Amino acid sequence: EVQVVESGGGLVQTGGSLRLSCAVSGFPSKRYAIGWFRRAPGKERKGISCISPSIEDIHYADSVKGRFTISSDNAKNTVYLQMNSLKPEDTAVYYCALTTGVYYCSGYVEYEYGYWGQGTQVTVSS
């Protein structure tokens, strides 16, 4: 059974940092990509970063570029999202999503990600 498990959300003040983790398991392929998405209150879910760990193909949305860093620990099949210089507008439920059998991170088309985590709340207070 494929599992996608997120952790690391919480409450932080403006300018603070958080690190989210996304652990994946239950599939045989070493070729996969992880996307991070977020849904802010009253808004649609949007992709913010993705990584293909096998070749470290990495992308960021403009809204987080320069503040967030995505990385992977291939031995642990875990992807991290380090979030620095957080702003109140970063408040959202953050989701990681998995697509398997790919070399590259193809972006943020939700239907291409077959497996999703449960979401973790990030709240940035002003």
Side-chain angles (χ1 to χ4, degrees):
E1 178 187 3
V2 176
Q3 291 192 322
V4 179
V5 181
E6 303 139 349
S7 60
L11 173 64
V12 65
Q13 292 185 333
T14 297
S17 299
L18 283 174
R19 188 177 78 159
L20 305 183
S21 300
C22 177
V24 295
S25 62
F27 58 98
S29 176
K30 294 298 184 183
R31 294 160 40 203
Y32 65 93
I34 296 288
W36 282 101
F37 296 75
R38 67 185 183 186
R39 177 181 282 131
K43 296 187 178 180
E44 294 184 350
R45 187 162 59 186
K46 290 186 177 180
I48 57 172
S49 185
C50 61
I51 185 171
S52 172
S54 62
I55 61 170
E56 292 199 0
D57 179 37
I58 290 173
H59 300 268
Y60 298 100
D62 288 344
S63 58
V64 304
K65 198 173 294 182
R67 300 187 298 122
F68 291 11
T69 302
I70 193 170
S71 62
S72 65
D73 183 334
N74 293 343
K76 296 182 179 179
N77 279 356
T78 299
V79 167
Y80 304 98
L81 187 67
Q82 177 67 42
M83 306 186 295
N84 299 329
S85 302
L86 284 162
K87 307 173 182 179
E89 51 263 44
D90 294 316
T91 294
V93 178
Y94 284 70
Y95 300 87
C96 69
L98 166 70
T99 180
T100 60
V102 297
Y103 281 116
Y104 297 100
C105 168
S106 61
Y108 311 117
V109 179
E110 291 196 15
Y111 68 76
E112 293 184 349
Y113 292 86
Y115 306 94
W116 290 75
Q118 76 282 4
T120 186
Q121 177 71 46
V122 171
T123 303
V124 184
S125 63
S126 57

